[in-house]
Each structure stands twice: as structure tokens, then as C-alpha cells.
């Protein structure tokens, strides 16, 4: 029998999947292609300080007076793009999976056609390596990852809405005893603090050859403090 991985990243809604041991050949899980990330230059603010002139004339017929009002900037520059190299490891002892976060990028620039999103959210990119275990037929999928923020509190799923906005290799579904490395992206609330964790939300499985059950569980690791 084959392994069927859940459609959602969250263990609370995942249904039990069937696992098999190494001797049985499984079906290939569908590949999930995600947006990629760039390490480009920081975001810069547009000029926002126009000046205007307002004339005011006196009530006499012999003199006139003009006053000038200058507008002051009302917007603050956006936070600058930043990226850092890390090594944060999650291990699943039951399935033998290893998930390693290699880089974290903050304040990635929003596509120009999404001004509302740029006002409300920040894009966070994480470069991840999947190393799927060899014992069972359970694959690793990007949708099993979430980003946990401390303030404001959030548990954010992977987003693929940006498509070709960034130029980097996307993280793909990784089958048993195989590896893949690529980027995943998350939208967090604007003003999210630096404390971030990466979570692997393992769904529940049943092993078809032994009728053993593997319960759903969430593993997480600190990315930034």
C-alpha cells in the first residue's frame, strides 16, 4: 500500500495516511512548486515631501502679503531587506526525517501590483533542506511547514502566491530517502518582531504492514531570537 500525504500543513486537520516499509514501491507524491527568493538590494522609500504655496492677500488696496506652507513627510521608510545564514535543525525520530533551515530573509519587497499587501504584511523567506527518512514511504512536503512568530502571535502557513516574483529555487516535495533544498515564503503581520520559529507539522500515519499508528506531532526550532 502507498502513503497518502495530507493536503494541509496542519496536523489537526490531517487524516491518517497509510505507510509502508522499504520493500514496497510507493506512488510519487505531487510536486509542490513554491515562489523563490532573491537576496537583492534593500527596499527604499519613495520621496514623500512635496511643498505647496498658499497666497493670502491683505484687505488694503496698496499692499499684499504671501505666506508659504511646506508639507512635512507623513510616512516612515519601510524596513530594509536583510538576510542571514543559520543552521537550525528539526529531527523526526519516528519517520527519520531531518529538516534544516539554512537562511532567513526578512522584509522582502512586495510585488508592485500588491500595494495593500505591502501595507499589511511582511514577506519572510526561509531556505530549507529536506532529508527524507528511508524507513517509511512518508514524503516531506513544503506545506507541512509553518512559521511561528512570538509578537504578534502567529502560526503562518507557506504561501505560493508570489509565483515568479523572486528568483530562487523553490523547495519541493521530497520522497523517501531523498533530499531537496530550496526556499519557502511566509506572510507575517507588519511589525512582527524578530523572534521566529520554524515548525514541521507531521500528520498522523498508519503503517500498512504492521498496523502501527504514528500520531500527529509538531516539531519546531528557533530561527531568530
Amino acid at each position: 500500500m502507498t502513503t497518502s500525504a495530507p493536503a494541509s500543513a496542519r496536523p489537526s486537520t490531517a487524516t491518517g495516511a497509510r505507510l509502508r516499509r522499504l520493500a514496497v514501491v510507493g506512488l510519487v507524491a505531487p510536486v509542490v512548486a513554491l515562489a523563490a527568493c532573491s537576496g537583492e538590494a534593500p527596499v527604499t522609500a519613495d520621496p514623500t515631501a512635496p511643498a505647496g504655496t498658499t497666497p493670502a492677500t491683505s484687505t488694503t488696496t496698496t499692499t499684499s502679503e504671501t505666506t508659504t506652507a511646506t508639507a512635512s513627510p507623513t510616512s516612515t521608510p519601510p524596513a530594509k531587506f536583510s538576510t542571514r545564514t543559520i543552521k537550525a535543525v528539526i529531527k523526526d525520530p519516528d519517520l527519520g526525517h531531518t529538516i534544516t533551515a539554512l537562511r532567513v530573509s526578512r522584509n522582502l519587497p512586495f510585488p508592485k501590483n500588491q500595494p495593500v499587501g505591502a501595507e499589511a504584511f511582511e514577506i519572510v523567506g526561509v531556505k530549507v533542506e529536506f532529508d527524507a527518512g528511508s524507513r517509511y514511504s512518508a514524503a516531506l512536503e513544503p506545506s507541512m511547514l509553518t512559521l511561528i512568530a512570538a509578537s504578534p502571535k502567529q502560526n503562518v502557513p507557506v504561501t505560493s502566491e508570489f509565483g515568479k516574483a523572486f528568483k530562487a529555487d523553490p523547495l519541493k516535495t521530497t520522497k523517501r530517502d531523498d533530499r531537496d533544498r530550496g526556499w519557502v515564503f511566509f506572510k507575517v503581520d507588519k511589525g512582527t518582531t524578530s523572534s521566529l520559529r520554524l515548525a514541521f507539522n507531521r500528520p498522523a500515519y498508519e503503517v500498512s504492514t504492521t498496523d502501527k499508528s504514528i500520531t500527529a506531532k509538531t516539531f519546531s526550532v528557533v530561527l531568530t531570537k
Side-chain angles (χ1 to χ4, degrees):
M1 296 183 71
T2 61
T3 302
S4 58
S8 170
R10 304 182 184 278
S12 62
T13 59
T15 57
R18 300 289 292 177
L19 292 179
R20 45 177 181 65
R21 292 191 178 271
L22 184 60
V24 183
V25 177
L27 297 177
V28 177
V31 174
V32 179
L34 301 180
C37 171
S38 67
E40 300 299 326
V43 183
T44 56
D46 292 330
T48 57
T53 301
T54 304
T57 305
S58 67
T59 58
T60 67
T61 59
T62 57
T63 61
S64 63
E65 180 179 79
T66 302
T67 58
T68 302
T70 303
S72 59
T74 57
S75 62
T76 57
K80 291 185 177 180
F81 166 82
S82 65
T83 187
R84 59 182 297 186
T85 299
I86 61 172
K87 188 176 181 180
V89 181
I90 296 172
K91 289 184 177 291
D92 182 341
D94 299 309
L95 298 179
H97 296 329
T98 300
I99 300 164
T100 306
L102 302 169
R103 296 183 74 184
V104 178
S105 294
R106 300 281 314 253
N107 296 296
L108 286 155
F110 257 85
K112 292 182 179 179
N113 61 350
Q114 297 189 29
V116 176
E119 293 176 1
F121 299 105
E122 173 197 346
I123 304 174
V124 178
V126 184
K127 189 174 185 180
V128 176
E129 181 179 83
F130 274 169
D131 186 0
S134 60
R135 185 178 182 187
Y136 297 108
S137 61
L140 279 168
E141 300 181 20
S143 60
M144 295 176 178
L145 302 176
T146 56
L147 189 69
I148 300 173
S151 179
K153 291 183 178 180
Q154 303 158 76
N155 193 350
V156 184
V158 168
T159 178
S160 58
E161 71 178 274
F162 302 110
K164 299 179 181 179
F166 304 115
K167 297 179 180 178
D169 294 331
L171 183 67
K172 298 178 181 179
T173 297
T174 307
K175 298 181 293 183
R176 179 174 60 190
D177 201 22
D178 202 358
R179 288 187 181 186
D180 189 68
R181 181 180 291 189
W183 288 83
V184 289
F185 297 92
F186 307 89
K187 286 196 315 183
V188 299
D189 293 343
K190 205 77 169 182
T192 295
T193 58
S194 60
S195 179
L196 298 174
R197 299 179 69 89
L198 182 69
F200 165 55
N201 302 285
R202 184 187 74 193
Y205 295 100
E206 290 182 1
V207 184
S208 59
T209 55
T210 63
D211 291 329
K212 176 183 177 181
S213 295
I214 298 175
T215 60
K217 188 174 182 179
T218 296
F219 305 83
S220 68
V221 66
V222 173
L223 297 180
T224 57
K225 296 182 179 179

